[in-house]
Every structure is written in C-alpha cells, then in structure tokens.
Amino acid sequence: MGLDKATIEKLAKHCEDAELKAYEITKITEDYPEMTYEDAYDIQWTARAAKIARGHKIVGMKMGLTSQAKMKQMGVDNPCYGYLADYFAYGDGAEIKIDELIHPKVEAEIAFVLKSDLSGPGCHIGDVLAATDFVMPAVEVIDSRYKDFKFDLKSVIADNSSSSRYVTGGRMRDIKDLDLKTLGVVMEINGEIVEVGAGAAVLGHPATAIAMLANMLSERGEILKAGEYILSGAITAAVSVKKGDNVTVKFQDLGTLSFRFV
C-alpha cells in the first residue's frame, strides 16, 4: 500500500533534520515496514523541495551503490541516486568542518558535466558520451544519518543516498581524450595510501551509471539537464575520516584533489 502524503512529509523532515543538525536516527523501515521504493524516493524529493523552498539551489545529482560488490553486499539489483545541494560543494584545498557531519567517509569519483539534456527511458552509454561536456575528478563525502552507518536500500534512498559534501577540482578533460574504464585513482589519508581503484569499478564504465540515472529519473518524469553536475559513483571503497585528516586523491590524467577535515 505504501505511505500517505502526511507520513512522507513527516519522514522527509525527520531525515533532513538529522542531516542539518548532524544526529543519528534509526532506519525508518523499522517503524514503517510497509514503505515502498516509490515512497523512499517521494521522501527524498520532498526534502529536496524543502531545500529549494528555503532558497537553496540543487546543483546536481549523485549515483550510489554503483559497484557490483556493493550491490551484492546490500542485496540489491539497482544502484540508487540522490541530489546535490549548493552547500554540499567544496573546492580543492577546502577545509570541511567535521562537527557538521556524523560519521563521514570519503570515496573517489568521476564527475560528469552535461552539455545537453539526457532523458530516459532507453538512455545508453553512447547517449551519455555524446551529451557530456567534460569530466573532472571529485571526492564525495558520504554521511549516512543512520546509526552505525547501517541501513537498507529504502531507508538510504529516503536519506538522500547518504549525500553530505563533495570536493571537486583538478583538471576538466574532454571525455574523448580519456579511457574512463582504466583510469586509475590513488587515495591517501595523511600521506598513506588507503585505497586504489579504476573507473571500471563503476558498473564497468562510469558513463553506464549516468545512463542508468537518466533511466531511473524518467520513471518520475524527470530528466538530467545541460549543465548538471553528476557524481557517477565510487571508484574506491568508502574510508572513514576524523578531525585533522588530510585527504589527497590522485587521478590519472585528471590531476590531484586535496582537502582536510577540521
């Protein structure tokens, strides 16, 4: 049956308050086992609308759970998506206040910026490559609002797929000049290598994740718009960080990103 409109609005505020005030909540499917995937996205879109109503701008989208291993671990068949609000964005060399977050983790990603709209259903990797203006390196700071970072897929979708901050910089590159499948990434924390990966970790090719996002959005009558900034999903595993940590990620052919938690 799913949830009624009042419950969806209540849960959107519940999840968003936890994000804004940085406190943990228990996964909402415990209290609402009847919640559907559609309800979960309704909660996410309701919180998104609340941010826009308060004057924030939605600057892009992100894909989550895009590795086969992560999907298997979570027992899901599909990745999930979330939105990126203006205040999530940081540049190279940034200092991110850890007290505004709960239990942040960092993961390396490739960001796509579109030059033309992308819409599903039936969007495929060729459409994505043709619609991409450029790609650039990014690091997403994920921060689930759920206690101990434990959740199921419906709960995490409602919680904006753990979106909290992202850092971008390095070089903008034309997608034609890169092999995103084999593009290597090395993540260091305080000078020690903690993760290495390659673009193929994202559904075989990061552009596949963007096509999947366009197709998922079409189910709600939404499209990816030109100029939109899209995080394609984690190339590396997510690594926990603490106050004082310096994070440096080196991207083959895309330069380096560094920032710290204060």
Side-chain angles (χ1 to χ4, degrees):
M1 246 314 276
L3 306 176
D4 59 36
K5 193 168 183 293
T7 306
I8 282 167
E9 285 175 359
K10 183 178 88 174
L11 289 172
K13 186 176 186 322
H14 174 64
C15 290
E16 206 202 4
D17 283 350
E19 178 240 317
L20 294 171
K21 296 172 188 159
Y23 59 79
E24 292 184 327
I25 54 177
T26 52
K27 59 178 196 264
I28 50 185
T29 47
E30 284 179 12
D31 298 317
Y32 298 92
E34 73 278 21
M35 183 167 105
T36 65
Y37 283 107
E38 197 174 338
D39 292 334
Y41 277 117
D42 284 346
I43 293 165
Q44 184 191 119
W45 284 85
T46 301
R48 174 184 169 135
K51 285 196 190 315
I52 293 167
R54 291 199 305 271
H56 286 296
K57 194 175 165 207
I58 303 304
V59 292
M61 300 289 287
K62 63 155 283 187
M63 283 292 270
L65 301 179
T66 47
S67 78
Q68 300 296 346
K70 241 179 179 181
M71 283 193 271
K72 200 171 171 185
Q73 186 190 354
M74 294 294 298
V76 301
D77 301 322
N78 268 323
C80 55
Y81 65 77
Y83 59 85
L84 303 172
D86 46 12
Y87 66 91
F88 294 4
Y90 284 80
D92 190 15
E95 294 192 335
I96 296 178
K97 291 187 178 125
I98 209 153
D99 295 347
E100 293 176 356
L101 306 168
I102 303 163
H103 36 213
K105 299 183 180 191
V106 291
E107 47 189 43
E109 314 219 358
I110 291 170
F112 285 66
V113 178
L114 301 179
K115 62 185 171 194
S116 51
D117 295 352
L118 265 181
S119 58
C123 179
H124 61 76
I125 189 168
D127 299 328
V128 176
L129 298 176
T132 300
D133 192 6
F134 56 88
V135 291
M136 58 197 304
V139 178
E140 188 181 9
V141 182
I142 55 169
D143 189 30
S144 170
R145 269 53 73 170
Y146 296 115
K147 190 169 163 45
D148 302 326
F149 232 104
K150 289 190 169 62
F151 47 75
D152 51 42
L153 188 60
K154 289 173 190 168
S155 294
V156 76
I157 289 167
D159 183 39
N160 193 22
S161 297
S162 306
S163 297
S164 75
R165 303 285 184 267
Y166 67 92
V167 181
T168 193
R171 298 182 198 136
M172 293 159 44
R173 293 290 301 269
D174 191 316
I175 209 162
K176 292 193 281 294
D177 301 333
L178 301 167
D179 178 0
L180 291 184
K181 223 175 149 68
T182 60
L183 189 136
V185 165
V186 178
M187 181 188 281
E188 296 175 1
I189 295 184
N190 304 326
E192 282 189 35
I193 293 175
V194 291
E195 282 293 328
V196 293
V202 183
L203 297 171
H205 191 296
T208 306
I210 311 294
M212 204 176 263
L213 175 58
N215 292 331
M216 289 165 85
L217 286 173
S218 73
E219 292 167 22
R220 299 190 71 94
E222 301 281 345
I223 65 167
L224 287 168
K225 299 183 183 74
E228 197 129 34
Y229 180 93
I230 310 154
L231 296 174
S232 56
I235 292 172
T236 59
V239 181
S240 294
V241 286
K242 58 189 190 307
K243 190 175 271 198
D245 279 350
N246 285 292
V247 181
T248 300
V249 186
K250 297 168 181 168
F251 292 78
Q252 180 188 347
D253 302 323
L254 287 172
T256 298
L257 272 183
S258 296
F259 59 99
R260 64 192 291 256
F261 289 92
V262 296

